[in-house]
């Protein structure tokens, strides 16, 4: 039994597309967090500093940046097929 999707629904991203999208989401997010909080976090040892940065970055990437990138990808794919 297969599930049919509407023609307007694009395929999920390939492994390579997803890797690029994750890189595009994570790199600027970590850069901004490190630039903004670097002086404050500099007093912490590397492990706690990393935990703090990751705890801030992951929700930003998962709930804000990745959905935005998925929407942009859908729009780009829709333009190609239109």
């Amino acid at each position: 039994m297969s599930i049919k999707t509407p023609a307007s629904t694009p395929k999920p991203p390939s492994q390579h597309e997803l890797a690029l999208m994750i890189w595009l989401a994570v790199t600027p997010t970590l850069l901004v967090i490190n630039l903004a909080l670097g002086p404050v976090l500099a007093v912490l040892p590397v492990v706690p500093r990393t935990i703090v940065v990751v705890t801030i970055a992951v929700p930003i990437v998962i709930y804000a940046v990745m959905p935005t990138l998925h929407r942009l990808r859908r729009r780009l794919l829709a333009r190609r097929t239109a």
Side-chain angles (χ1 to χ4, degrees):
M1 181 174 176
S2 66
I3 298 173
K4 294 186 180 184
T5 58
S8 63
T9 303
K11 290 187 212 176
S14 71
Q15 188 175 16
H16 302 294
E17 290 171 328
L18 191 55
L20 176 62
M21 290 169 69
I22 291 169
W23 185 86
L24 287 171
V26 170
T27 302
T29 303
L30 291 177
L31 180 62
V32 168
I33 291 169
N34 279 305
L35 288 172
L37 299 179
V40 175
L41 298 176
V43 298
L44 295 175
V46 71
V47 173
R49 183 172 60 227
T50 302
I51 291 169
V52 169
V53 170
V54 169
T55 301
I56 296 167
V58 168
I60 292 169
V61 168
I62 295 300
Y63 296 114
V65 182
M66 285 303 291
T68 302
L69 288 175
H70 279 287
R71 279 192 297 279
L72 287 172
R73 179 182 171 273
R74 279 194 300 270
R75 286 183 190 160
L76 286 171
L77 290 175
R79 284 185 184 177
R80 283 187 190 172
T81 59

